[in-house]
């Protein structure tokens, strides 16, 4: 089987080329061709020796996920379903804004964590994505979106907030992050790459030491009783432990705050009392809040909080001195909004197996 070079960050690719008897600068050349020029054919890499191109054609591939479907929302949001084999597909979303273009990337086929308000969580779990399948989403979207007339990349920000829990696929996610940040890859700033987690505390510590990028925490509740119900991982890592991990992360984070994501569920977590509990919960964690109106999906069992409840909730937090944004719902007409990504997940029975593995390993 040929080696997929998209699975390597620069240190890994350099080591691989050394095994092939090639010098380190060849790895940098190939990295630039793959990730900056979007080349998937070694014959396009014209500054490589013909003998090296022949060797690469015999031994390696630039294996990118194949497009299954493409959709565009009335607001300009674009969603792609990418084939990752054996009947499975993952969704990637591009969100255009006035001053930036954000790509939302998936890290797993499905998700094992079973957050009750999330469509992805209802789909079950198949497997972790490889580093190639993770970075391949950025490769593919970058190619599809092209560049501006000033030769600037359309995708300026990446958020690991698509299908799956990134921290449950730690090694492959870190390799993909390394490629995103590398000047020979996509050259993104650590401040412009965000990893979101439901609260896998040991992996938060590992990420702080290995690849500190911006961190978002899917909080969604102000007390353990509510969070135990809607984010089952909280039973393993309750809020006190999660807040302590957030404080530790900030020691090396590229931003001086944690972003707390908070889906607004009518009658569940959106009362004024919950907002006041939040203020007390995060008092020692520099942070900002991103309130997310719940995006319905079939048989979810939840309703979106009223605009009035969201306004009151926001005002209480703002009056306490917090920066608070209310996320504008984007792409909901193509099921591309937060919490709506479902993809195409086979072998859903593996969810319990993965969940047990997560619990045992921590």
């Amino acid at each position: 089987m040929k080696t997929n070079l998209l699975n390597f960050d620069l240190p890994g690719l350099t080591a691989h080329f050394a095994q092939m008897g090639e010098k380190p600068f060849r790895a940098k050349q190939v990295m630039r061709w793959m990730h900056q020029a979007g080349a998937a054919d070694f014959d396009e890499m014209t500054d490589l020796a013909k003998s090296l191109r022949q060797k690469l054609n015999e031994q390696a591939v630039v294996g990118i996920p194949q497009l299954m479907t493409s959709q565009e929302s009335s607001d300009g949001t674009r969603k792609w379903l990418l084939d990752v084999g054996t009947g499975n597909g993952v969704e990637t979303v591009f969100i255009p804004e006035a001053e930036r273009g954000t790509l939302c990337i998936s890290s797993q086929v499905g998700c094992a964590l079973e957050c009750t308000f999330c469509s992805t969580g209802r789909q079950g779990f198949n497997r972790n994505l490889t580093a190639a399948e993770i970075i391949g989403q950025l490769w593919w979207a970058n190619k599809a979106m092209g560049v501006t007339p000033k030769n600037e990349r359309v995708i300026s920000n990446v958020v690991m907030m698509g299908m799956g829990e990134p921290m449950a696929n730690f090694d492959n996610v870190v390799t993909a992050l390394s490629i995103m940040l590398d000047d020979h890859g996509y050259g993104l700033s650590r401040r412009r790459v965000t990893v979101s987690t439901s609260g896998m505390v040991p992996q938060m510590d590992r990420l702080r030491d290995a690849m500190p990028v911006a961190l978002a925490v899917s909080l969604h509740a102000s007390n353990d009783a509510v969070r135990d119900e809607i984010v089952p991982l909280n039973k393993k890592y309750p809020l006190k432990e999660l807040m302590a991990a957030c404080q530790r992360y900030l020691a090396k984070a590229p931003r001086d705050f944690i972003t707390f994501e908070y889906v607004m569920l009518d009658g569940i977590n959106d009362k004024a009392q919950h907002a006041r509990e939040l203020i007390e919960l995060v008092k020692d964690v520099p942070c900002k809040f991103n309130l997310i109106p719940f995006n319905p999906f079939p048989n979810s069992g939840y309703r979106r909080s009223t605009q009035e409840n969201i306004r009151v909730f926001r005002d209480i937090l703002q009056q306490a001195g917090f920066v608070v944004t209310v996320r504008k719902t984007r792409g909901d007409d193509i099921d591309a909004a937060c919490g709506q990504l479902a993809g195409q997940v086979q072998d859903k029975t593996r969810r319990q197996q993965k969940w047990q593995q997560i619990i045992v390993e921590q």
Side-chain angles (χ1 to χ4, degrees), residues 10 28-29 31-33 35-36 179 182-187:
L10 184 56
K28 294 177 181 178
Q29 285 180 299
M31 278 279 288
R32 290 194 294 268
W33 274 109
H35 298 294
Q36 296 181 2
I179 298 168
D182 198 298
D183 287 341
H184 299 286
Y186 296 90

Side-chain angles (χ1 to χ4, degrees), residues 2 12 40 55 81 122 192 194-195 225 243 334 343 353-354:
K2 294 183 178 181
K55 190 188 299 186
L81 178 64
R122 298 284 181 93
R192 290 182 173 269
T194 301
V195 170
M243 293 303 109
I334 57 169
Q353 175 186 339
K354 180 63 177 178

Side-chain angles (χ1 to χ4, degrees), residues 51-72:
S51 58
L52 175 56
R53 279 181 272 162
Q54 181 177 345
K55 190 188 299 186
L56 289 172
N57 277 318
E58 291 170 355
Q59 300 179 14
V61 293
V62 180
I64 56 171
Q66 298 301 302
L67 179 67
M68 298 172 74
T69 62
S70 175
Q71 293 175 276
E72 185 166 359

Side-chain angles (χ1 to χ4, degrees), residues 17 45 49 59-60 63 86 100 106 134 140 168 178 183 195 204 221 233 237 245 252 266 270 272 290-291 340 355:
F17 270 58
M45 302 180 185
Q59 300 179 14
T86 60
R100 63 185 177 183
S106 296
I134 297 169
W140 204 99
S178 177
D183 287 341
V195 170
M204 292 169 65
L233 185 66
Y237 305 114
K252 295 185 179 180
D266 185 44
D270 64 344
N290 188 7
L291 305 182
Q340 288 186 320
W355 174 250

Side-chain angles (χ1 to χ4, degrees), residues 5 13 17 20 22-34 39-57 60 62:
L5 299 189
L13 192 61
F17 270 58
M20 294 172 62
E22 299 291 338
K23 294 182 178 179
F25 78 92
R26 292 300 189 192
K28 294 177 181 178
Q29 285 180 299
V30 172
M31 278 279 288
R32 290 194 294 268
W33 274 109
M34 291 191 299
D41 185 342
F42 296 119
D43 291 330
E44 295 177 32
M45 302 180 185
T46 51
D47 59 353
L48 301 184
K50 187 174 291 186
S51 58
L52 175 56
R53 279 181 272 162
Q54 181 177 345
K55 190 188 299 186
L56 289 172
N57 277 318
V62 180

Side-chain angles (χ1 to χ4, degrees), residues 114-129:
E114 299 184 271
C115 296
T116 59
F117 52 84
C118 180
S119 179
T120 304
R122 298 284 181 93
Q123 300 304 303
F125 173 81
N126 183 271
R127 64 175 176 84
N128 288 330
L129 294 180

